[in-house]
Amino acid sequence: MKEYNLKINGNDYRVVVKGVDGTRADVEVNGKPYEVVVGEEPKADRPMAAAPTATPVSPAPVQAAPAAQPASGGVIKSPLPGVIMDIRVAVGDKVSVGQCLMVLEAMKMENNVDSDKAGTVREIKVAAGDSVLEGDVLIVIES
Protein backbone atom coordinates (compact mmCIF):
# COMPACT_ATOMS: atom_id res chain seq x y z
CA MET A 1 0.00 0.00 0.00
CA LYS A 2 1.41 3.38 -1.02
CA GLU A 3 0.18 6.78 0.05
CA TYR A 4 0.59 10.05 -1.84
CA ASN A 5 -0.31 13.63 -1.03
CA LEU A 6 -1.01 15.40 -4.32
CA LYS A 7 -1.78 19.02 -5.11
CA ILE A 8 -3.81 19.31 -8.32
CA ASN A 9 -4.91 22.75 -9.52
CA GLY A 10 -4.33 24.08 -6.01
CA ASN A 11 -6.43 21.37 -4.32
CA ASP A 12 -4.91 18.83 -1.92
CA TYR A 13 -5.72 15.14 -2.41
CA ARG A 14 -4.69 12.16 -0.28
CA VAL A 15 -4.33 9.16 -2.57
CA VAL A 16 -3.81 5.65 -1.21
CA VAL A 17 -2.99 2.89 -3.69
CA LYS A 18 -4.34 -0.21 -1.98
CA GLY A 19 -3.38 -2.75 -4.60
CA VAL A 20 -2.55 -3.29 -8.26
CA ASP A 21 -3.57 -6.39 -10.18
CA GLY A 22 -2.49 -6.31 -13.82
CA THR A 23 -4.24 -3.34 -15.39
CA ARG A 24 -6.55 -2.68 -12.41
CA ALA A 25 -5.68 -0.67 -9.32
CA ASP A 26 -7.76 -0.08 -6.19
CA VAL A 27 -7.19 3.46 -4.94
CA GLU A 28 -8.74 5.72 -2.36
CA VAL A 29 -8.91 9.50 -2.97
CA ASN A 30 -9.70 11.57 0.14
CA GLY A 31 -11.29 8.48 1.70
CA LYS A 32 -13.47 7.58 -1.30
CA PRO A 33 -12.65 4.25 -3.04
CA TYR A 34 -12.13 4.06 -6.81
CA GLU A 35 -11.18 1.33 -9.27
CA VAL A 36 -8.64 2.57 -11.80
CA VAL A 37 -7.84 0.85 -15.09
CA VAL A 38 -4.42 1.55 -16.60
CA GLY A 39 -3.59 1.30 -20.30
CA GLU A 40 -1.41 -1.79 -20.27
CA GLU A 41 0.39 -4.05 -17.87
CA PRO A 42 4.14 -3.35 -17.60
CA LYS A 43 6.21 -5.99 -19.38
CA ALA A 44 8.99 -7.72 -17.42
CA ASP A 45 11.56 -7.04 -20.16
CA ARG A 46 10.78 -3.33 -20.28
CA PRO A 47 11.92 -1.30 -17.25
CA MET A 48 9.47 1.20 -15.90
CA ALA A 49 10.59 4.81 -15.72
CA ALA A 50 11.28 6.06 -12.22
CA ALA A 51 9.17 9.15 -12.83
CA PRO A 52 7.06 9.31 -15.98
CA THR A 53 7.27 12.53 -17.95
CA ALA A 54 4.00 14.39 -17.84
CA THR A 55 2.81 16.44 -20.77
CA PRO A 56 0.97 19.55 -19.63
CA VAL A 57 -2.66 19.46 -20.69
CA SER A 58 -4.83 22.53 -20.83
CA PRO A 59 -7.87 22.14 -18.63
CA ALA A 60 -11.09 21.52 -20.52
CA PRO A 61 -13.45 24.47 -20.59
CA VAL A 62 -15.80 24.36 -17.64
CA GLN A 63 -19.39 25.30 -18.15
CA ALA A 64 -20.72 27.49 -15.41
CA ALA A 65 -23.15 25.51 -13.30
CA PRO A 66 -25.05 26.96 -10.39
CA ALA A 67 -23.61 25.74 -7.11
CA ALA A 68 -27.11 24.97 -5.87
CA GLN A 69 -27.52 21.80 -7.94
CA PRO A 70 -27.29 19.08 -5.29
CA ALA A 71 -28.62 15.62 -5.95
CA SER A 72 -32.03 14.66 -4.68
CA GLY A 73 -32.79 11.67 -2.51
CA GLY A 74 -31.56 12.99 0.80
CA VAL A 75 -27.93 13.62 -0.08
CA ILE A 76 -26.27 16.87 -1.04
CA LYS A 77 -23.38 16.29 -3.44
CA SER A 78 -20.55 18.58 -4.43
CA PRO A 79 -21.41 20.35 -7.69
CA LEU A 80 -17.71 21.04 -8.42
CA PRO A 81 -14.29 19.93 -7.24
CA GLY A 82 -12.97 22.36 -4.64
CA VAL A 83 -12.29 23.06 -0.98
CA ILE A 84 -14.91 23.36 1.76
CA MET A 85 -14.53 26.88 3.19
CA ASP A 86 -17.39 27.06 5.71
CA ILE A 87 -20.11 24.75 7.01
CA ARG A 88 -23.20 26.67 8.06
CA VAL A 89 -25.29 23.85 9.56
CA ALA A 90 -24.81 21.18 12.21
CA VAL A 91 -26.15 17.66 12.68
CA GLY A 92 -29.73 17.90 13.94
CA ASP A 93 -30.44 21.29 12.35
CA LYS A 94 -33.70 21.72 10.46
CA VAL A 95 -33.09 23.04 6.94
CA SER A 96 -35.39 24.42 4.27
CA VAL A 97 -35.23 24.42 0.48
CA GLY A 98 -32.75 27.03 -0.75
CA GLN A 99 -30.95 27.38 2.58
CA CYS A 100 -27.17 27.72 2.30
CA LEU A 101 -25.56 24.65 3.88
CA MET A 102 -21.89 25.34 3.18
CA VAL A 103 -19.49 27.38 1.08
CA LEU A 104 -17.26 25.65 -1.47
CA GLU A 105 -14.25 27.36 -3.03
CA ALA A 106 -13.76 26.29 -6.63
CA MET A 107 -11.56 28.03 -9.18
CA LYS A 108 -10.90 30.89 -6.71
CA MET A 109 -14.62 31.60 -6.38
CA GLU A 110 -16.82 30.98 -3.37
CA ASN A 111 -19.97 28.99 -4.22
CA ASN A 112 -22.92 28.44 -1.91
CA VAL A 113 -24.10 24.84 -1.66
CA ASP A 114 -27.83 25.12 -1.02
CA SER A 115 -30.35 22.52 0.11
CA ASP A 116 -32.77 21.21 -2.50
CA LYS A 117 -35.10 19.74 0.14
CA ALA A 118 -36.44 20.47 3.58
CA GLY A 119 -35.54 18.18 6.42
CA THR A 120 -33.09 17.50 9.24
CA VAL A 121 -29.33 17.25 8.82
CA ARG A 122 -28.46 13.62 9.74
CA GLU A 123 -24.79 13.52 8.74
CA ILE A 124 -22.07 15.93 7.61
CA LYS A 125 -19.44 13.99 5.68
CA VAL A 126 -16.85 16.79 5.28
CA ALA A 127 -15.08 19.37 7.40
CA ALA A 128 -13.87 22.89 6.66
CA GLY A 129 -10.63 22.70 4.70
CA ASP A 130 -11.43 19.33 3.06
CA SER A 131 -10.82 18.95 -0.67
CA VAL A 132 -13.75 17.36 -2.48
CA LEU A 133 -14.37 16.04 -5.96
CA GLU A 134 -17.46 16.65 -8.07
CA GLY A 135 -20.20 14.27 -6.93
CA ASP A 136 -18.77 13.60 -3.44
CA VAL A 137 -21.53 13.38 -0.80
CA LEU A 138 -21.29 16.38 1.53
CA ILE A 139 -24.41 16.18 3.70
CA VAL A 140 -27.22 13.67 4.34
CA ILE A 141 -30.66 15.18 4.94
CA GLU A 142 -33.63 13.20 6.25
CA SER A 143 -37.19 14.37 5.58
Side-chain angles (χ1 to χ4, degrees):
M1 181 165 48
K2 292 189 177 192
E3 186 173 321
Y4 302 91
N5 290 313
L6 305 175
K7 185 174 277 270
I8 302 171
N9 292 334
N11 294 318
D12 293 319
Y13 297 94
R14 182 176 164 268
V15 179
V16 177
V17 179
K18 295 190 173 233
V20 179
D21 182 19
T23 60
R24 191 179 74 79
D26 291 316
V27 300
E28 191 174 278
V29 179
N30 290 348
K32 186 173 181 181
Y34 293 93
E35 182 177 301
V36 177
V37 178
V38 293
E40 64 181 73
E41 187 172 344
K43 301 202 183 319
D45 60 340
R46 186 178 68 189
M48 290 186 61
T53 304
T55 304
V57 177
S58 299
V62 177
Q63 292 182 343
Q69 290 283 332
S72 60
V75 295
I76 305 298
K77 294 185 178 183
S78 178
L80 304 164
V83 177
I84 303 299
M85 299 302 295
D86 185 27
I87 299 175
R88 298 189 173 168
V89 294
V91 173
D93 286 358
K94 301 274 187 210
V95 296
S96 57
V97 174
Q99 179 177 343
C100 180
L101 304 174
M102 62 181 59
V103 178
L104 172 73
E105 179 187 8
M107 298 179 288
K108 301 190 187 235
M109 294 181 62
E110 291 185 1
N111 300 278
N112 288 340
V113 177
D114 298 336
S115 180
D116 66 343
K117 68 183 302 181
T120 303
V121 175
R122 286 293 164 222
E123 189 175 359
I124 299 175
K125 297 199 168 260
V126 294
D130 285 356
S131 293
V132 296
L133 300 173
E134 180 178 353
D136 283 354
V137 176
L138 306 174
I139 294 180
V140 177
I141 296 176
E142 188 175 90
S143 297

